[in-house]
Amino acid sequence: RTEAVAQAKQILNSVLQVADRAQEVLALLSLLQEQKSAYRVLRSNHLGEAALLTLQSQSFGKMVQCDEAVAPAVQLCKAFMMESGLTTPIAEGPVKTGRSVGSSQLCRELEEQCSQIFQKVDLSFVRSRLAVQAPTLGFAPETSKPAVELLHRYAQCVYVGSAEDSWVSLCQSVREAVKEQPNRAAEICVEKLQQIQQQEQGPASEARARQLLEALLGAVTKPLGQPEDQALAAQNLVEQLLVRTSRMANSISKEVSFAHRAVLDYLLAFDSLRPVLEDLLQGNQGTTIEAFLQAKAKEHQTAGELLWRHWVKQGRPQDAAEVLLAMASGKTDLPHRVQYLDQAKQAARRALPSSK
């Protein structure tokens, strides 16, 4: 009886998988029809004769029978993306008829409606085109727009489950783009983070978001040790990034987005970026950063140090004392514990009415 139940479950699972594949292929065909692109895509050089022949001769049932059988549909998806102007170094290149959308929007729709097929598309052809258009993106700002826009389209096509080399290439391209167009590079990353946030969240999504943010922030914050104007520009960009990611909070639970936390975690992780956090504490993001540091203070020495010193400067010695007490009760060695308790005592004395 147990074997019969197990066999029935296996059969049912196989049927569900076939149904999922069928739904995705139909969604792909529906998109082709909506944009009136079928004629052009089926004659595209990017489709290939073998895939075209299979699409014309093979029954629908056989095409969705197993993962390997969907290969022609994956090629069709790739040709669809290419014919939408994905690698054309001109702004977006939308389809001229039907419900026309740009290549970036098309990638989002493919990801939403036929994610498994979209995930199987080999993006190496886009990476190679990106390398041709901008091997290092080292153009003058006025001439680098086509390459950066190509990066934008590529970012939209990289899926959370895409191959690691696709993400490595994306992150490297972001680093290079920051050198010439930091604001545009940040916009591309924020748009991608929003796309990730809208998908089903989990460890994989958060890991990809952090990978992308670290590439952007690593490149953006390098100038902080350079001339003052570059440091100020980098700080302004980081602040804008915090503002944008703060808006990604869950509309129901109001929970801070993992992208926002990732930006703050990155700033907190490097001593060289401590001045950035100190300055941001004084700005419009001050309240948010205070809450972040307060949550971290007990386990993270730098967070606690930043917060209690900031509150002393703000004339809030009682709050500073509470932070120091939390630090003393956290994971720290005996000398630091004694130091924090002594500093908490001094801060508490400042809060007494007689000390004013």
Side-chain angles (χ1 to χ4, degrees):
R1 183 176 178 180
T2 304
E3 291 182 3
V5 171
Q7 186 177 12
K9 287 183 177 180
Q10 185 177 3
I11 293 173
L12 179 59
N13 186 51
S14 298
V15 171
L16 291 174
Q17 289 177 358
V18 169
D20 287 341
R21 286 191 289 269
Q23 184 177 7
E24 293 214 350
V25 172
L26 290 173
L28 174 60
L29 296 176
S30 177
L31 282 172
L32 278 167
Q33 179 63 28
E34 283 181 17
Q35 298 203 27
K36 303 187 184 302
S37 302
Y39 183 86
R40 184 179 65 261
V41 172
L42 288 173
R43 284 155 181 76
S44 170
N45 293 330
H46 302 291
L47 180 58
E49 292 184 8
L52 176 61
L53 181 61
T54 302
L55 288 168
Q56 291 174 331
S57 60
Q58 193 173 65
S59 67
F60 184 80
K62 287 186 178 180
M63 187 179 299
V64 298
Q65 194 170 24
C66 61
D67 280 339
E68 292 74 16
V70 184
V74 175
Q75 283 295 109
L76 183 65
C77 183
K78 173 182 174 180
F80 192 12
M81 291 162 63
M82 292 293 285
E83 292 297 329
S84 73
L86 179 61
T87 60
T88 304
I90 304 173
E92 284 307 288
V95 180
K96 300 299 183 182
T97 57
R99 189 179 60 82
S100 61
V101 297
S103 55
S104 296
Q105 177 63 28
L106 175 62
C107 285
R108 287 193 288 270
E109 293 199 12
L110 287 169
E111 183 178 1
E112 290 173 3
Q113 299 188 38
C114 42
S115 60
Q116 293 303 312
I117 291 176
F118 180 73
Q119 186 176 346
K120 288 181 172 67
V121 174
D122 181 7
L123 294 177
S124 60
F125 67 96
V126 186
R127 294 200 301 273
S128 62
R129 187 62 182 269
L130 184 62
V132 169
Q133 291 296 324
T136 61
L137 289 171
F139 301 132
E142 65 272 12
T143 61
S144 60
K145 182 178 179 181
V148 175
E149 290 310 309
L150 187 57
L151 168 62
H152 175 223
R153 298 177 217 174
Y154 179 57
Q156 294 302 315
C157 293
V158 177
Y159 185 75
V160 169
S162 293
E164 183 64 26
D165 59 348
S166 295
W167 278 94
V168 170
S169 179
L170 174 60
C171 291
Q172 180 57 35
S173 297
V174 166
R175 294 186 192 98
E176 298 295 343
V178 167
K179 296 176 183 177
E180 303 298 342
Q181 294 196 40
N183 290 323
R184 182 60 181 136
E187 288 174 6
I188 291 171
C189 288
V190 168
E191 187 176 350
K192 187 62 186 177
L193 290 170
Q194 289 172 331
Q195 186 181 355
I196 294 173
Q197 178 93 358
Q198 290 166 2
Q199 297 167 358
E200 182 179 351
Q201 296 183 27
S205 295
E206 293 200 24
R208 291 308 189 191
R210 287 183 181 277
Q211 185 178 358
L212 186 60
L213 278 169
E214 287 174 6
L216 174 67
L217 290 168
V220 165
T221 54
K222 277 184 180 179
L224 290 177
Q226 301 299 321
E228 185 177 349
D229 57 339
Q230 292 184 351
L232 182 60
Q235 183 176 318
N236 288 339
L237 195 147
V238 170
E239 188 165 7
Q240 291 172 25
L241 189 62
L242 282 169
V243 171
R244 294 285 298 276
T245 54
S246 69
R247 294 171 184 166
M248 298 182 194
N250 188 301
S251 59
I252 299 176
S253 66
K254 304 300 182 183
E255 182 182 353
V256 175
S257 71
F258 58 71
H260 192 65
R261 291 198 308 271
V263 176
L264 293 171
D265 282 336
Y266 185 89
L267 295 176
L268 189 60
F270 295 94
D271 291 339
S272 61
L273 300 180
R274 184 167 176 166
V276 178
L277 271 175
E278 290 175 340
D279 289 338
L280 291 174
L281 274 167
Q282 311 296 328
N284 296 330
Q285 289 287 308
T287 304
T288 301
I289 296 174
E290 283 179 3
F292 168 77
L293 293 175
Q294 190 169 16
K296 293 272 187 179
K298 188 174 182 179
E299 306 298 332
H300 200 295
Q301 181 180 349
T302 301
E305 288 279 352
L306 280 169
L307 187 58
W308 82 260
R309 293 183 187 279
H310 168 70
W311 275 343
V312 166
K313 291 178 182 177
Q314 294 293 311
R316 299 167 60 181
Q318 183 61 44
D319 292 331
E322 291 178 4
V323 173
L324 284 161
L325 287 174
M327 293 170 66
S329 64
K331 295 180 180 179
T332 187
D333 54 30
L334 183 58
H336 279 100
R337 196 182 306 277
V338 172
Q339 177 187 338
Y340 296 147
L341 288 172
D342 182 57
Q343 290 172 325
K345 183 178 178 181
Q346 294 178 35
R349 281 177 178 170
R350 294 184 193 178
L352 294 174
S354 60
S355 66
K356 297 180 181 179

